[in-house]
Amino acid sequence: MAEARAPRVPQAPRVPLVDVAAAYHALRPELDAAIARVVRAGAFIGGPEVAAFERAFATFCGARRAVGVASGTAALHLALLALGVEPGDEVVTVAHTFAATAEAIEHARARPRFVDVDEATGGMDPKALADALDGAAAVVPVHLYGLPVDMAAILPMAGEAGVPVLEDAAQAHGAAVSVAGDERPRRVGSLGHIAAFSFFPGKNLGAFGDAGAVTSDDDELAERVARLRDHGRSGKYEHLEVGWGERLDALQAAVLGVKLAHLEAGNAVRERLADRYDQALAGVGDLAPPARPAGRRGAWYFYVVRTGQRDALRERLRGAGVEAGVHFPVPLHLQPAFRHLGYARGDLPATEAWAAECLSLPIYPELEEAQQEQVIRAIRGFFGT
Ligand SMILES: *Cc1c(COP(=O)(O)O)cnc(C)c1O
């Protein structure tokens, strides 16, 4: 007779990749009060909560304007339309990113053109961009994993070609670059002509649902986004153009306002955790730590390493109660959704190498020291060091 066995119950990871519940508990009284305030006031769409958050977020980014929208995807889409991107236009971006970056280009009925990424950082490669700017309607670099792309190279190239720059800053709230001649570093969201942020719950600044924002120093661009997000309205019953229903709601704005005040401190904790990973994982196996280029300060959305044994290492971590992620396993130029663009495997070698080797490790303000040690021990154990 077969031996009776206890059923195997899958255990929840003791170290999750992101922990939105822990982020809530850390600020619970403030968040509960903000939510109650909105519910009592009964103003759920627009109103003072949204306006206050927009002002605070613009100030945080160092941009003149911020316009709250319903998601990061809406932010990208409406920013492209505000820039004047038209059906049939070409918009240059990367394939090593979340699908929304290229989807937004398709939503504007334009055509994404993918250029390769930099082997060292995974961000848009300025050398690859040089050949793609001719005739483009816009360029969308992505500050992937929170690391600003090489804007010092990209901005002058785009400027010379007369192509506007839309930053996809969905993963990089608070990341900054030092620009020659500036006294202080400049935050992402204030670097290009216009920028798109996501406040998806797991992002560095996360709402309790979908939310996003567009930032810009250009009042006209900001006004156009504000109109497009709200049915093209110029008055209550006057519609200047066909727009969308893509507003930021007041509950999300109130939650975001509370969390924004803690973002800088949270990013500083992430940076210390990154330093600890750097020390503990230096020289372990074939592991390549994330690049930290001079003059660019990351927001550490994820701590992303590269290894030729990515899938085996991820399995080992899973067994050790550690959740690691892959961002992203299939680059956009090889996704069925973008097959019509005509790309093939081998077209973007650095992008494809990143997709094959990248592994995202947990890094967030609520990650405890013991949890990080558990991640480090599991990785060192895998490589036998
Ligand atoms: C999260 C994300 C988006 C989309 O944001 P949503 O708020 O989920 O619509 C766009 N681009 C990048 C790089 C992202 O990580």
Side-chain angles (χ1 to χ4, degrees), residues 200-257:
F200 183 81
K203 303 281 163 91
N204 289 38
L205 180 59
F208 287 172
D210 279 311
V214 172
T215 58
S216 182
D217 279 338
D218 186 321
D219 285 323
E220 244 173 81
L221 290 178
E223 286 304 323
R224 183 88 196 280
V225 171
R227 196 162 75 216
L228 288 169
R229 74 176 167 181
D230 190 24
H231 307 287
R233 267 195 189 122
S234 53
K236 188 159 177 148
Y237 295 113
E238 187 182 49
H239 302 269
L240 266 190
E241 61 182 323
V242 173
W244 277 263
E246 297 280 20
R247 297 166 300 220
L248 174 67
D249 71 69
L251 273 171
Q252 301 306 341
V255 165
L256 289 165

Side-chain angles (χ1 to χ4, degrees), residues 41-354:
F44 296 107
I45 301 291
E49 297 284 349
V50 173
F53 172 70
E54 288 176 335
R55 277 194 304 275
F57 192 64
T59 302
F60 177 84
C61 294
R64 272 177 59 79
R65 299 284 298 272
V67 181
V69 294
S71 68
T73 308
L76 287 162
H77 174 212
L78 301 184
L80 287 167
L81 295 179
L83 287 173
V85 169
E86 291 185 347
D89 280 350
E90 193 168 85
V91 174
V92 185
T93 191
V94 288
H96 184 49
T97 179
F98 182 57
T101 313
E103 272 178 330
I105 296 168
E106 299 269 359
H107 293 166
R109 295 201 281 147
R111 188 182 170 83
R113 175 168 177 175
F114 298 122
V115 296
D116 213 351
V117 295
D118 172 43
E119 186 70 44
T121 62
M124 180 181 272
D125 183 357
K127 293 190 297 295
L129 180 63
D131 302 327
L133 280 171
D134 201 26
V139 55
V140 188
V142 182
H143 304 305
L144 200 70
Y145 311 141
L147 181 72
V149 295
D150 189 358
M151 293 297 269
I154 290 171
L155 286 175
M157 286 168 59
E160 208 159 292
V163 179
V165 176
L166 160 58
E167 301 172 68
D168 183 338
Q171 302 191 356
H173 324 72
V177 301
S178 302
V179 180
D182 279 6
E183 265 176 39
R184 286 193 296 154
R186 272 199 253 166
R187 287 206 168 128
V188 306
S190 69
L191 304 170
H193 295 81
I194 193 165
F197 287 87
S198 164
F199 306 126
F200 183 81
K203 303 281 163 91
N204 289 38
L205 180 59
F208 287 172
D210 279 311
V214 172
T215 58
S216 182
D217 279 338
D218 186 321
D219 285 323
E220 244 173 81
L221 290 178
E223 286 304 323
R224 183 88 196 280
V225 171
R227 196 162 75 216
L228 288 169
R229 74 176 167 181
D230 190 24
H231 307 287
R233 267 195 189 122
S234 53
K236 188 159 177 148
Y237 295 113
E238 187 182 49
H239 302 269
L240 266 190
E241 61 182 323
V242 173
W244 277 263
E246 297 280 20
R247 297 166 300 220
L248 174 67
D249 71 69
L251 273 171
Q252 301 306 341
V255 165
L256 289 165
V258 170
K259 289 189 162 193
L260 179 60
H262 300 273
L263 178 57
E264 211 169 339
N267 282 355
V269 175
R270 288 172 190 264
E271 193 167 52
R272 286 202 295 280
L273 292 165
D275 292 343
R276 174 75 190 115
Y277 274 135
D278 275 2
Q279 285 164 13
L281 299 176
V284 170
D286 72 339
L287 216 62
R292 297 176 81 161
R296 292 190 248 168
R297 184 163 184 208
W300 298 106
Y301 176 50
F302 288 124
Y303 185 91
V304 180
V305 295
R306 276 181 66 169
T307 163
Q309 304 178 69
R310 193 261 315 276
D311 295 335
L313 174 57
R314 190 184 188 195
E315 264 317 299
R316 171 69 76 95
L317 289 172
R318 203 194 309 267
V322 172
E323 187 185 14
V326 175
H327 303 95
F328 297 90
V330 181
L332 300 188
H333 71 297
L334 302 178
Q335 291 281 0
F338 298 104
R339 189 175 291 140
H340 59 281
L341 298 174
Y343 289 89
R345 191 169 288 282
D347 283 347
L348 302 171
T351 294
E352 291 164 32
W354 270 92

Side-chain angles (χ1 to χ4, degrees), residues 12-28 31 200-208 259 270 273 300-302 321 323-324 327 361-369 371-372 374:
R14 281 160 285 159
V15 188
L17 182 60
V18 291
D19 195 342
V20 291
Y24 165 62
H25 288 294
L27 301 174
R28 187 173 168 177
L31 288 165
F200 183 81
K203 303 281 163 91
N204 289 38
L205 180 59
F208 287 172
K259 289 189 162 193
R270 288 172 190 264
L273 292 165
W300 298 106
Y301 176 50
F302 288 124
E323 187 185 14
H327 303 95
L361 303 182
I363 185 167
Y364 39 88
E366 300 78 21
L367 185 73
E368 287 166 19
E369 208 178 300
Q371 289 179 301
Q372 188 180 29
Q374 190 178 337

